[in-house]
């Protein structure tokens, strides 16, 4: 286990790069099977999902496309409770099979708002693919089709996830330490 310090917080390794890659490969296999002949559009939620979305797309074995949307709801290590769309979707989603690619689903508010927004664009289907889900923190019912990891309600960084814009470049997942 390694320890990293990011700004004023200390984090310890909790999920290895190899474990992450293994789960992404598993989920990509499920998507490839479920979406065969559908040319899905992966819709990555920036900033946190960019590494996950790239690695996921490389493991998918069927034709697919990718685009990104930028939403903001965090300040430091705390959710503000409000979701803001910073960068919108330019693609025509009519009759498309859309897979929202999210780094982490905790309360579910961001996903709920995004699904409602996408519904007005007449997609054939909308699916959620999350690297991490915090089931104990969910405040809204969501059908999350593809999940790499279910985790406790801990604050994590690495592999695209950040603490105040730092730590995204870490190859493993690190969990906030209480006392180190």
């Amino acid at each position: 286990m390694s320890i990293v310090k990011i700004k004023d917080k200390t984090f310890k390794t909790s999920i290895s790069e190899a474990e992450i890659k293994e789960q992404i490969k598993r989920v990509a296999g499920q998507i490839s099977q479920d979406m065969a002949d559908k040319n899905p559009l992966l819709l990555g939620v920036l900033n946190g999902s960019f590494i996950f979305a790239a690695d996921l797309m490389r493991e998918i074995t069927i034709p697919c496309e990718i685009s990104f949307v930028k939403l903001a709801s965090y300040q430091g290590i705390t959710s503000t409770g409000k979701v803001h769309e910073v960068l919108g979707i330019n693609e025509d989603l009519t009759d498309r099979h859309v897979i929202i690619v999210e780094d982490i689903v905790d309360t579910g508010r961001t996903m709920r708002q995004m699904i409602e927004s996408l519904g007005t664009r007449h997609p054939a289907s909308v699916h959620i693919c999350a690297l991490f889900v915090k089931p104990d923190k969910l405040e809204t019912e969501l059908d999350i089709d593809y999940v790499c990891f279910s985790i406790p309600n801990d604050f994590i960084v690495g592999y695209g996830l950040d603490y105040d814009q730092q730590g995204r470049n870490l190859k493993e997942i690190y969990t906030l330490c209480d006392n180190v």
Side-chain angles (χ1 to χ4, degrees):
M1 170 178 55
S2 69
I3 302 288
V4 296
K5 186 153 177 104
I6 301 172
K7 293 193 170 189
D8 60 335
K9 307 278 184 220
T10 303
F11 297 84
K12 65 181 177 189
T13 307
S14 56
I15 302 173
S16 72
E17 181 181 15
E19 290 173 282
I20 296 167
K21 301 282 187 186
E22 180 181 306
Q23 290 305 309
I24 289 172
K25 190 169 190 157
R26 176 187 59 79
V27 166
Q30 289 177 333
I31 290 171
S32 297
Q33 182 177 337
D34 295 349
M35 295 285 158
D37 301 322
K38 292 186 178 165
N39 188 30
L41 173 66
L42 304 180
L43 188 56
V45 181
L46 295 173
N47 287 337
S49 77
F50 77 103
I51 293 173
F52 173 43
D55 285 351
L56 179 68
M57 188 173 194
R58 285 193 295 256
E59 292 292 339
I60 292 175
T61 58
I62 60 170
C64 60
E65 298 172 27
I66 193 164
S67 188
F68 292 92
V69 62
K70 185 168 183 177
L71 306 173
S73 66
Y74 265 81
Q75 187 168 13
I77 64 170
T78 309
S79 175
T80 62
K82 296 179 180 144
V83 179
H84 305 282
E85 189 171 297
V86 181
L87 175 69
I89 303 162
N90 296 324
E91 281 71 26
D92 179 7
L93 301 183
T94 305
D95 298 325
R96 295 294 311 266
H97 296 277
V98 177
I99 302 173
I100 302 168
V101 180
E102 178 68 295
D103 56 350
I104 188 164
V105 176
D106 49 24
T107 65
R109 287 190 298 251
T110 301
M111 280 298 97
R112 174 64 48 217
Q113 182 176 322
M114 192 164 175
I115 288 168
E116 289 169 7
S117 175
L118 291 177
T120 66
R121 295 165 156 255
H122 313 291
S125 65
V126 177
H127 305 271
I128 301 171
C129 178
L131 182 58
F132 299 103
V133 174
K134 294 180 176 180
D136 295 339
K137 195 168 180 194
L138 281 172
E139 296 175 2
T140 184
E141 198 169 308
L142 289 173
D143 185 14
I144 305 174
D145 303 274
Y146 308 103
V147 177
C148 291
F149 297 92
S150 289
I151 62 170
N153 189 23
D154 296 327
F155 188 82
I156 59 174
V157 297
Y159 201 78
L161 289 90
D162 72 298
Y163 165 51
D164 204 17
Q165 297 301 320
Q166 299 294 307
R168 291 188 196 278
N169 60 318
L170 299 169
K171 293 180 181 182
E172 299 179 309
I173 293 297
Y174 292 79
T175 300
L176 180 65
C177 299
D178 292 328
N179 297 325
V180 172

